[in-house]
Amino acid sequence: MERNVYLTLQRPEDARQLWFSRLSEFVQGPGSEVVPLEKAAHRVLSQPAVALRSSPAFHGAAMDGIAVRAESTFSASPRQPLTLEIDKDAFWINTGQPLPKGCDAIIMVEDVQVDESGKKVTTEKAAFPWQHVRKLGEDIVATEILLAPGVEIGAYELGALAAAGVLKPQVFRRAKVAVIPTGNEIVALSKAKDEDLESGRVLPEFNSLVLSTLIRDAGGEVDERPITPDDPDALSQAICAAASDGADVVVLIAGSSAGSRDFTAEAIRRLGEVLVHGVAVMPGKPAMLGLVKVDGRTLPVMGAPGYPVSAIIAVEEFLLPLLAFWQKRRPKTRESVDVVACTPLPSRPGMEERIRVRLGIVGETCFAVPLPRGAGTVTSLSRADAIIPVARDCEGVDAGVPVRAELLRSRSQIAGSLLIIGSHDNTLELIDSLLRQVEPRFSLTSAHVGSLGGLLALKRGQCHLAGSHLLDEESGIYNRSAIREHLKGVPVMLVHLAQREQGFVVMPGNPKGIKDVSDLVRDDVSFINRQRGSGTRVLLEYELKRKGIRPEKIRGYRDEEYTHMNVAAAVLSGRADTGLGVRAAAFALHLDFVPLGTEEYDLVIPKAFAEDERIQTLLTVIRSQVFREKVTAMGGYDVSRSGEILWTYDGQE
Amino acid sequence: MERNVYLTLQRPEDARQLWFSRLSEFVQGPGSEVVPLEKAAHRVLSQPAVALRSSPAFHGAAMDGIAVRAESTFSASPRQPLTLEIDKDAFWINTGQPLPKGCDAIIMVEDVQVDESGKKVTTEKAAFPWQHVRKLGEDIVATEILLAPGVEIGAYELGALAAAGVLKPQVFRRAKVAVIPTGNEIVALSKAKDEDLESGRVLPEFNSLVLSTLIRDAGGEVDERPITPDDPDALSQAICAAASDGADVVVLIAGSSAGSRDFTAEAIRRLGEVLVHGVAVMPGKPAMLGLVKVDGRTLPVMGAPGYPVSAIIAVEEFLLPLLAFWQKRRPKTRESVDVVACTPLPSRPGMEERIRVRLGIVGETCFAVPLPRGAGTVTSLSRADAIIPVARDCEGVDAGVPVRAELLRSRSQIAGSLLIIGSHDNTLELIDSLLRQVEPRFSLTSAHVGSLGGLLALKRGQCHLAGSHLLDEESGIYNRSAIREHLKGVPVMLVHLAQREQGFVVMPGNPKGIKDVSDLVRDDVSFINRQRGSGTRVLLEYELKRKGIRPEKIRGYRDEEYTHMNVAAAVLSGRADTGLGVRAAAFALHLDFVPLGTEEYDLVIPKAFAEDERIQTLLTVIRSQVFREKVTAMGGYDVSRSGEILWTYDGQE
């Protein structure tokens, strides 16, 4: 099995600079064009926009009233009103109309009296010269530079250009980006059949849709090319065809890695040269940058990795800056804020990393909760509020120390978000949806670290509330003893969310005949566990102890998942025969469920936030009829007492 | 002459609330629809997006290598390498492919040795279960809520939806907004002829282009309707026709004021009711909100004022929030920052105001310089960096006190901007353009308050540099004595920008035969002056004194403009026979010029900023050949010594 070998990994900024500097030698770029103003929205000026007309183009009335020569009114006063003859000394005029010759002021209609004939008007107020007049050139004087090159033409700029008579601005041509998905087993998204996807026979191709959207949003034009198989000849031909169709730059998706079927490097080398193969950024490492020559024309080409997050980051790091570079403007940058990581975020020295995080502002501090790091985890971007770029020369981010994060959402959106840390429950996403529908300013951001982790985060002031279902083995009561133990000094209210059924998730028909925890030690039964500190794990340990079963007897006891849904998925896939989870998880994936008992899932809310508008709205949501109906439909829940305040703790006891 | 009368001016938030609450009673809004994912970019989810597939859909390889059953490799170690038979104990696998049945781990290709036959591989490393495997559901588990309603589908969200098999998301339908320009004298922008515009016979109609862009950017669909004359019948018919063509909301541009030709209120009243006529916000006051009933369907209608800034603000205050309201999401808000006004910004109590400002960050403070306030001054938006919303219950903004401003540009753009305050010179916009072309991160923001005002701003630390041409009457030397007088304690460098010709701007052929300052006192000569503290005004005063001429003898001496170009425009329009300005201004407007003398225009740069990268780049620009060529072409400049450091001042002397 042959393999390519990565060239030395280059730092992203070095790779970019190398590509741009080689490009500049050989490639003209898309150049500029003239467009009618009606089509100019969101285009970028390539030349200074010079005013062709003045605005206003004449001295005009700024009010409805009469136009006069100011000098002729200087004698007017309340004691000595002045009478003017219409169409001789004074002229009716409406806002925007040009001043009649000889006039240099407007008297507002409110300040004049019309006589019965309608031919004469009287005023008690003298007009000063240029009163209520919009003077020629007041806004724009012809020939002045109105807007600088590199400026994007938004609505306001359209107004300025129109007012200045610039009806055909010169703008940068949109770069034409050919996007070529590659791979033998991928199929277009709309053609992928469920059964083929589930068996892994085919993979759905959606990187091209995602990358095309990024490119269009950055002002590029996309030429979506057909899927090309893993074959150097086919890839070279695809690049040539795209170039012949006028591409300014070609992006090949997947095949840029160093695997045995990664032929992008080979294809580029046949037509030109590979400048960069591999960059020191995670995700995004397998990115490739090069130049090819087709029909005597040199053009840049990029290999984007196949994993969606890598592909996105590679395009954001290299292609979008190229589009900006061609327009002589800086790439759009994200606003950044100081955030504090709730947990240490280790990172490999020598590699930059882009850690996706969710954010919540608790008190004065913006806390960051990391999302999964995998390059295939596309939801780590769709769920992210921000990205923490970790520099290559460090070993990661320490917990509790401020670090810069690049925002993916507006500050106000993040300010409206409630951060819940703790146990996972399937109703949390539903609460988020309902909360947003009730009050669009608000949302619920949840991070799943288990019940105990939630209480500890609350103690450290890192979240607004925690979700917990910790059973006290002695009393059989949920959460109270854990709160007393871990939340000293933090007065909280314990708000009931739901009673939910916990039990064994099993394949349909329960083929292994699981009945209770004693079945877990059977040789023919494999188990999938939940992580330490989760309420479900506590429940399991309680049950095992009660029955005198030693955990090390259970096959798979050390194989852990973090959510009910992932436990159910593990069972569905045959990775394990069973695991402990809520009925709703089994129900959602059409699995069977063997009840073990009912448990209480509560929200722990510091009294300091009790009056917070977001918390109040959340309580309204969980007490609502629509919430109860939707949760009941999920199966295995009793939400008849949702929102009830079960207990308040003064932090002292 | 009849006039409508404004109803009581309503507070914007009250007006919005009234409109929305009445709307909700009668109007369904655009509703939702299902769109293919390929067309879903930038649409807004109307329902929670629920995952239809898990991602990954199977256990797959996360690396290239061999798939094994982990248990079978536990004995492998460097001392005791393990040999596995291909296609029996181990299976070649590429990243992304599904694990063969029975396998639960991947050993990376780097960690295996292939024997000569190619049928056996040896490894020194044991695999742990699920090593290098992307497990089914690791990213997404089918049935989970992926994205909440109200979320805009961007590139990342497209990736998540595609991965989860949500190929037909349910989104809010785009609201169809009918935009009807009204007025007798307006003509479509593309049809307006220069001579008609200059005479004021017609006005170019461009509000519809600007408002349509705002509407599309906010996710609306625009139906651009024909221009409708000022006539209640025609207006009613136009509303009905737009409604019949499926409009969700109708916007009439102009005619919402209280003038004699403002028939929007009348037209709306014939079809329904006017809820709001006039709001307490400047610009934007004449906005109108109502409901009409057409063909049994009730729909909202809005009257936008005719002045461009008013029209924009009215649409931003009422229509865009309506589009957001229909999508159950919060309107896009602008980021806001604390800024400090350089000068007091008075405001009328009882009215909110939206003051457009330019910004510059000097030291730690973001300073705001106001732009013109007129509702017709569309460049006050295109040039603005931010808007300061002044509340109705105050008399404006005090200088030096922090106040919130809503950003129109990114913080990083503002951070890259140099703020120059002082005298106006036509080369400043050129420097801005060249600076941006050399380094897209940088720009030059200029505010024109005259030379003296610039030095005082520099003294107060409100700008990065000042532009000055202050003549010392005694020595005949420029700027140095003024710097000594006004910049005690502020060490600066004096950098030469240009020698420029000052003189009298006159109509072509100099019909009044202006030769020198003594002509200004002639009865048949009217003059346009520059503001106090401007270098040009100082020069004039110097010349008058030298000739023993009393300023009060000059007609128009108290009529002031703030820039050379506005002086030239005043002459061109016949408002004055002459004014003092630079040759380039006369040249630009094809006017004649009677030289009075040559003066020196310099940049005053605090030594504290001498090493600032932006200042260094600016110096590179003004020393460049391209700058010299372009300025020389403007006429009346000598830039042979541009960029020379003339003098340094230690702040002590």
Side-chain angles (χ1 to χ4, degrees):
Chain A
M1 188 186 200
E2 275 185 57
R3 293 189 68 249
N4 297 308
V5 179
Y6 278 122
L7 301 179
T8 327
L9 294 183
Q10 301 205 38
R11 293 146 55 111
E13 68 270 31
D14 294 344
R16 205 156 43 223
Q17 210 173 354
L18 174 63
W19 201 34
F20 288 7
S21 73
R22 290 300 302 280
L23 268 171
S24 310
E25 284 178 53
F26 300 107
V27 183
Q28 271 291 359
S32 66
E33 64 184 335
V34 161
V35 293
L37 200 59
E38 291 77 6
K39 307 253 177 206
H42 304 303
R43 302 299 293 267
V44 176
L45 287 169
S46 61
Q47 293 293 324
V50 174
L52 299 177
R53 295 174 189 154
S54 296
S55 175
F58 49 82
H59 302 315
M63 292 280 183
D64 293 348
I66 55 167
V68 297
R69 184 172 177 82
E71 265 185 15
S72 71
T73 69
F74 287 170
S75 69
S77 73
R79 287 196 188 167
Q80 201 173 0
L82 176 72
T83 299
L84 297 163
E85 194 173 323
I86 286 293
D87 292 338
K88 183 165 163 276
D89 314 314
F91 306 83
W92 286 117
I93 196 164
N94 276 309
T95 304
Q97 290 180 325
L99 294 196
K101 214 170 164 62
C103 293
D104 63 359
I106 304 293
I107 300 176
M108 286 197 294
V109 66
E110 289 90 331
D111 293 335
V112 295
Q113 292 279 339
V114 191
D115 80 348
E116 284 173 10
S117 72
K119 288 179 180 164
K120 286 186 177 171
V121 293
T122 308
T123 178
E124 298 182 346
K125 287 195 184 169
F128 55 85
W130 308 105
Q131 162 181 299
H132 302 319
V133 173
R134 290 191 69 220
K135 288 174 286 191
L136 183 153
E138 192 173 278
D139 189 11
I140 298 165
V141 178
T143 76
E144 71 175 299
I145 294 180
L146 204 64
L147 295 165
V151 167
E152 181 176 327
I153 301 173
Y156 302 163
E157 288 76 15
L158 284 174
L161 292 169
V166 185
L167 306 187
K168 291 179 174 175
Q170 188 158 20
V171 297
F172 286 105
R173 203 162 65 72
R174 290 189 191 285
K176 188 168 177 179
V177 184
V179 174
I180 308 176
T182 78
N184 291 339
E185 61 286 276
I186 57 172
V187 295
L189 193 57
S190 52
K191 291 182 189 153
K193 285 182 194 149
D194 280 343
E195 59 271 27
D196 293 337
L197 291 171
E198 276 158 27
S199 71
R201 268 195 298 279
V202 300
L203 295 170
E205 197 293 300
F206 58 82
N207 280 326
S208 58
L209 173 62
V210 175
L211 300 188
S212 296
T213 304
L214 288 175
I215 293 163
R216 287 194 194 99
D217 287 354
E221 184 190 320
V222 177
D223 177 15
E224 293 185 53
R225 313 287 302 181
I227 293 173
T228 302
D230 292 324
D231 171 79
D233 289 333
L235 292 171
S236 299
Q237 280 164 22
I239 295 172
C240 291
S244 299
D245 286 352
D248 293 303
V249 52
V250 175
V251 179
L252 295 151
I253 307 174
S256 69
S257 197
S260 61
R261 293 184 311 166
D262 291 323
F263 298 118
T264 298
E266 168 66 17
I268 294 175
R269 237 176 258 122
R270 287 189 188 178
L271 300 169
E273 67 177 318
V274 173
L275 296 168
V276 173
H277 189 187
V279 285
V281 62
M282 295 275 279
K285 191 177 80 164
M288 187 182 301
L289 305 173
L291 288 180
V292 295
K293 197 163 182 178
V294 177
D295 305 337
R297 186 165 69 95
T298 300
L299 70 162
V301 56
M302 170 175 178
Y307 276 129
V309 183
S310 293
I312 288 168
I313 289 178
V315 160
E316 290 180 341
E317 291 280 335
F318 303 109
L319 184 68
L320 304 192
L322 175 63
L323 302 185
F325 173 77
W326 273 337
Q327 300 192 334
K328 293 191 173 59
R329 62 202 301 249
R330 61 179 308 174
K332 276 181 191 155
T333 51
R334 297 173 179 136
E335 297 297 338
S336 61
V337 292
D338 275 333
V339 304
V340 168
C342 290
T343 52
L345 306 173
S347 171
R348 207 164 109 196
M351 291 290 268
E352 292 183 25
E353 199 162 353
R354 305 280 180 267
I355 301 179
R356 288 81 73 197
V357 295
R358 308 209 69 173
L359 299 179
I361 300 171
V362 187
E364 299 288 299
T365 309
C366 186
F367 287 101
V369 183
L371 285 156
R373 303 227 197 155
T377 316
V378 68
T379 59
S380 69
L381 280 170
S382 65
R383 293 192 208 273
D385 295 316
I387 293 177
I388 298 179
V390 182
R392 73 198 301 258
D393 54 0
C394 75
E395 296 184 3
V397 173
D398 292 329
V401 177
V403 60
R404 294 303 277 175
E406 298 172 359
L407 290 180
L408 300 174
R409 317 203 185 283
S410 72
R411 284 161 201 257
S412 51
Q413 266 181 296
I414 290 157
S417 170
L418 277 174
L419 183 59
I420 181 169
I421 296 187
S423 173
H424 178 253
D425 186 79
N426 287 3
T427 62
L428 296 179
E429 282 81 16
L430 177 67
I431 296 173
D432 176 41
S433 285
L434 293 174
L435 191 60
R436 289 164 185 259
Q437 283 174 315
V438 170
E439 176 48 70
R441 288 178 298 142
F442 299 158
S443 59
L444 184 72
T445 296
S446 59
H448 313 129
V449 299
S451 295
L452 184 59
L455 295 185
L456 296 176
L458 204 60
K459 168 79 179 179
R460 291 189 295 263
Q462 296 178 335
C463 57
H464 298 106
L465 68 167
S468 181
H469 55 116
L470 287 168
L471 174 64
D472 178 37
E473 295 190 8
E474 285 173 27
S475 66
I477 291 177
Y478 279 86
N479 295 318
R480 298 184 200 195
S481 65
I483 288 171
R484 281 200 191 91
E485 187 181 344
H486 299 291
L487 291 178
K488 283 253 153 48
V490 184
V492 297
M493 354 183 258
L494 188 66
V495 177
H496 184 62
L497 183 64
Q499 291 282 337
R500 57 185 199 180
E501 274 186 281
Q502 283 269 21
F504 296 101
V505 178
V506 295
M507 284 298 272
N510 192 4
K512 291 284 169 83
I514 310 286
K515 287 188 287 294
D516 62 37
V517 284
S518 55
D519 289 312
L520 301 185
V521 295
R522 276 164 45 195
D523 273 353
D524 64 333
V525 171
S526 63
F527 185 69
I528 174 79
N529 208 348
R530 285 292 305 282
Q531 85 281 15
R532 259 169 237 264
S534 66
T536 305
R537 175 81 167 246
V538 170
L539 178 66
L540 175 69
E541 285 165 1
Y542 172 72
E543 291 291 334
L544 293 175
K545 206 164 155 188
R546 219 160 56 92
K547 298 254 169 140
I549 296 168
R550 283 164 50 206
E552 53 273 30
K553 293 263 182 189
I554 300 172
R555 248 179 72 204
Y557 193 80
R558 292 165 67 181
D559 193 7
E560 296 178 354
E561 281 292 352
Y562 276 74
T563 69
H564 297 280
M565 289 304 277
N566 283 112
V567 164
V571 172
L572 180 67
S573 69
R575 185 172 141 210
D577 294 315
T578 190
L580 207 53
V582 294
R583 183 189 283 271
F587 188 72
L589 296 191
H590 306 293
L591 295 168
D592 272 1
F593 181 80
V594 182
L596 181 67
T598 293
E599 65 166 10
E600 183 178 311
Y601 185 102
D602 301 324
L603 302 176
V604 187
I605 303 173
K607 287 186 189 168
F609 301 135
E611 298 305 311
D612 186 296
E613 203 188 344
R614 293 165 298 180
I615 291 286
Q616 289 292 320
T617 312
L618 177 135
L619 293 178
T620 305
V621 163
I622 66 173
R623 288 164 185 162
S624 70
Q625 194 54 32
V626 55
F627 174 73
R628 287 181 183 158
E629 282 167 13
K630 283 187 186 278
V631 174
T632 304
M634 289 162 73
Y637 282 97
D638 176 354
V639 281
S640 54
R641 293 173 60 204
S642 287
E644 205 169 285
I645 297 174
L646 299 176
W647 184 59
T648 60
Y649 171 62
D650 62 5
Q652 303 295 329
E653 230 174 303
Chain B
M1 187 186 202
E2 276 185 56
R3 294 189 67 251
N4 297 310
V5 178
Y6 278 122
L7 302 179
T8 327
L9 294 182
Q10 301 205 37
R11 291 149 52 114
E13 67 271 31
D14 293 344
R16 209 158 38 225
Q17 211 175 352
L18 173 63
W19 200 33
F20 288 6
S21 72
R22 289 300 302 280
L23 267 171
S24 312
E25 284 177 52
F26 300 107
V27 183
Q28 271 291 359
S32 66
E33 63 183 335
V34 160
V35 292
L37 200 59
E38 291 77 6
K39 308 251 177 207
H42 304 303
R43 303 297 294 268
V44 175
L45 288 168
S46 61
Q47 293 295 325
V50 174
L52 299 177
R53 295 176 189 153
S54 296
S55 174
F58 50 83
H59 302 317
M63 293 279 183
D64 292 349
I66 54 168
V68 296
R69 184 171 177 81
E71 266 185 13
S72 71
T73 70
F74 286 171
S75 67
S77 75
R79 285 196 192 170
Q80 203 173 3
L82 176 73
T83 299
L84 297 165
E85 196 172 326
I86 288 293
D87 291 338
K88 182 165 164 276
D89 315 313
F91 305 83
W92 286 116
I93 195 164
N94 277 309
T95 305
Q97 290 180 327
L99 293 196
K101 214 170 163 65
C103 294
D104 62 0
I106 303 294
I107 301 177
M108 284 197 294
V109 66
E110 290 90 329
D111 293 337
V112 296
Q113 292 280 339
V114 190
D115 81 346
E116 283 172 12
S117 72
K119 288 180 181 160
K120 287 186 176 168
V121 292
T122 309
T123 180
E124 299 182 346
K125 288 194 187 171
F128 54 86
W130 307 106
Q131 161 182 299
H132 302 319
V133 173
R134 292 192 69 221
K135 289 174 283 191
L136 184 154
E138 192 172 277
D139 189 12
I140 299 164
V141 178
T143 74
E144 71 175 302
I145 294 180
L146 204 62
L147 296 165
V151 167
E152 181 177 326
I153 302 174
Y156 302 163
E157 287 76 15
L158 284 174
L161 292 169
V166 185
L167 306 188
K168 290 178 175 176
Q170 188 159 18
V171 297
F172 287 106
R173 203 162 65 70
R174 289 189 191 285
K176 187 168 178 179
V177 184
V179 175
I180 308 176
T182 77
N184 291 338
E185 62 287 275
I186 57 171
V187 295
L189 192 57
S190 53
K191 291 182 188 155
K193 286 182 193 150
D194 280 342
E195 60 271 25
D196 293 337
L197 291 170
E198 275 156 27
S199 70
R201 268 194 298 278
V202 301
L203 294 171
E205 197 292 300
F206 58 81
N207 280 326
S208 57
L209 174 61
V210 174
L211 301 187
S212 297
T213 304
L214 288 174
I215 293 162
R216 288 193 193 101
D217 287 354
E221 184 189 319
V222 176
D223 177 15
E224 293 184 54
R225 313 288 301 182
I227 293 172
T228 302
D230 292 323
D231 171 79
D233 289 332
L235 291 171
S236 300
Q237 280 163 24
I239 295 171
C240 291
S244 300
D245 286 353
D248 293 302
V249 51
V250 176
V251 178
L252 295 151
I253 307 174
S256 68
S257 196
S260 60
R261 293 184 312 166
D262 292 323
F263 298 117
T264 298
E266 168 66 17
I268 295 175
R269 236 174 259 122
R270 288 189 189 177
L271 300 169
E273 68 177 318
V274 173
L275 296 167
V276 173
H277 187 186
V279 285
V281 62
M282 294 276 277
K285 190 178 79 166
M288 186 182 299
L289 305 174
L291 288 180
V292 294
K293 198 163 182 179
V294 177
D295 304 337
R297 185 166 69 96
T298 299
L299 70 163
V301 56
M302 168 174 179
Y307 275 129
V309 183
S310 294
I312 288 167
I313 289 178
V315 161
E316 290 180 341
E317 291 280 334
F318 303 108
L319 184 68
L320 304 191
L322 175 63
L323 302 185
F325 174 77
W326 272 338
Q327 299 192 334
K328 293 192 174 57
R329 62 203 300 248
R330 59 180 311 177
K332 275 182 191 150
T333 51
R334 298 175 179 132
E335 297 298 336
S336 61
V337 291
D338 274 332
V339 303
V340 168
C342 289
T343 51
L345 306 173
S347 171
R348 211 166 105 195
M351 292 290 267
E352 292 183 23
E353 198 162 352
R354 304 282 181 263
I355 301 180
R356 288 81 74 198
V357 295
R358 307 209 68 175
L359 298 179
I361 300 171
V362 187
E364 300 288 298
T365 310
C366 186
F367 287 101
V369 183
L371 285 157
R373 304 228 197 153
T377 315
V378 69
T379 60
S380 69
L381 281 169
S382 65
R383 292 190 208 275
D385 296 316
I387 294 176
I388 298 179
V390 182
R392 72 198 303 256
D393 53 359
C394 75
E395 296 184 3
V397 173
D398 292 330
V401 178
V403 60
R404 293 304 276 177
E406 298 171 358
L407 290 181
L408 300 173
R409 317 203 184 284
S410 72
R411 285 163 201 252
S412 51
Q413 267 183 298
I414 289 156
S417 171
L418 277 173
L419 183 59
I420 182 169
I421 297 188
S423 173
H424 178 253
D425 186 79
N426 287 3
T427 63
L428 296 179
E429 282 80 17
L430 177 66
I431 296 173
D432 177 41
S433 285
L434 292 174
L435 192 62
R436 289 164 184 259
Q437 284 175 312
V438 171
E439 177 47 70
R441 287 178 297 146
F442 299 158
S443 59
L444 184 72
T445 296
S446 59
H448 313 129
V449 299
S451 295
L452 184 60
L455 295 184
L456 297 175
L458 205 59
K459 169 81 178 177
R460 291 190 295 262
Q462 296 178 338
C463 57
H464 297 105
L465 67 167
S468 178
H469 54 117
L470 287 167
L471 174 64
D472 178 38
E473 296 189 7
E474 283 172 29
S475 66
I477 292 176
Y478 279 85
N479 295 320
R480 299 185 198 193
S481 64
I483 288 171
R484 281 200 190 90
E485 188 180 342
H486 298 291
L487 291 179
K488 284 249 154 45
V490 184
V492 297
M493 355 182 254
L494 187 67
V495 178
H496 184 63
L497 183 64
Q499 290 283 336
R500 57 186 200 180
E501 274 186 282
Q502 283 269 21
F504 296 102
V505 178
V506 295
M507 282 298 272
N510 191 5
K512 291 286 170 83
I514 311 285
K515 284 189 291 294
D516 62 37
V517 284
S518 55
D519 289 311
L520 301 185
V521 295
R522 278 165 42 194
D523 273 354
D524 64 332
V525 171
S526 62
F527 184 71
I528 173 79
N529 208 349
R530 285 291 305 281
Q531 88 280 15
R532 260 170 237 263
S534 65
T536 304
R537 176 80 167 247
V538 170
L539 178 66
L540 176 69
E541 285 165 0
Y542 171 73
E543 291 289 334
L544 293 175
K545 206 164 156 191
R546 219 160 58 94
K547 298 255 169 137
I549 297 167
R550 283 164 49 206
E552 53 275 28
K553 295 266 182 184
I554 300 173
R555 251 181 70 205
Y557 192 82
R558 291 165 66 182
D559 194 5
E560 296 177 354
E561 281 293 351
Y562 276 73
T563 69
H564 298 280
M565 289 305 278
N566 283 111
V567 165
V571 172
L572 179 67
S573 69
R575 182 173 142 212
D577 294 316
T578 191
L580 207 52
V582 294
R583 183 188 284 271
F587 188 72
L589 296 191
H590 306 294
L591 295 168
D592 273 0
F593 181 78
V594 181
L596 181 67
T598 295
E599 65 165 13
E600 183 179 313
Y601 185 103
D602 300 323
L603 302 176
V604 187
I605 303 172
K607 286 185 190 169
F609 301 137
E611 299 305 311
D612 186 295
E613 201 187 349
R614 293 166 298 178
I615 291 286
Q616 290 292 322
T617 311
L618 177 136
L619 293 178
T620 304
V621 162
I622 66 172
R623 289 166 184 159
S624 70
Q625 193 54 33
V626 55
F627 174 72
R628 287 181 183 158
E629 281 167 13
K630 284 188 186 277
V631 175
T632 304
M634 289 163 75
Y637 282 97
D638 175 355
V639 282
S640 55
R641 293 174 60 202
S642 288
E644 205 169 285
I645 299 175
L646 300 174
W647 183 59
T648 59
Y649 171 63
D650 62 5
Q652 302 296 329
E653 232 174 304

